[in-house]
Amino acid sequence: MTGMAFRLLGRLSVREYAAIVAGFTFVVLEALLHILVALLPTPVIRWFYNRSRVLFNSLSPQRPRPRSGEVCTAQRILRARDFVDLCAVFG
């Protein structure tokens, strides 16, 4: 049985070996980054999030449009926790 496994590996070209090694390297790198990010405290993650958001907004060609009154009202309704908050939205 082990001879068949080596015959399969013998059929691969150098480019295919390089692709397999690069693929496994990226998978291991992603796993290490996942563990590293999971161990970071929330303020650090929030800081990086805010910096990336500022960078994205500065590089994007389109500026975000100001929200209309209808969208603001919808957001306030979505954030309402109970009936009293809903009544406060409309006075």
Side-chain angles (χ1 to χ4, degrees):
M1 286 300 249
T2 58
M4 291 181 72
F6 288 117
R7 282 189 213 137
L8 176 65
L9 291 177
R11 294 180 183 180
L12 298 177
S13 68
V14 174
R15 287 176 53 186
E16 291 167 337
Y17 277 119
I20 289 174
V21 169
F24 279 123
T25 302
F26 285 128
V27 168
V28 169
L29 180 65
E30 189 272 335
L32 291 174
L33 286 173
H34 180 78
I35 292 169
L36 180 69
V37 169
L39 295 176
L40 286 175
T42 303
V44 173
I45 294 172
R46 193 175 309 124
W47 184 83
F48 278 111
Y49 171 77
N50 290 334
R51 293 295 131 349
S52 67
R53 189 172 176 182
V54 167
L55 181 64
F56 175 80
N57 287 335
S58 67
L59 295 177
S60 66
Q62 215 176 50
R63 297 285 176 220
R65 295 180 304 184
R67 290 188 171 164
S68 67
E70 187 176 295
V71 173
C72 289
T73 303
Q75 289 294 325
R76 288 176 60 198
I77 291 171
L78 283 172
R79 285 189 302 250
R81 288 177 284 172
D82 54 11
F83 187 72
V84 175
D85 289 345
L86 283 174
C87 290
V89 169
F90 295 104

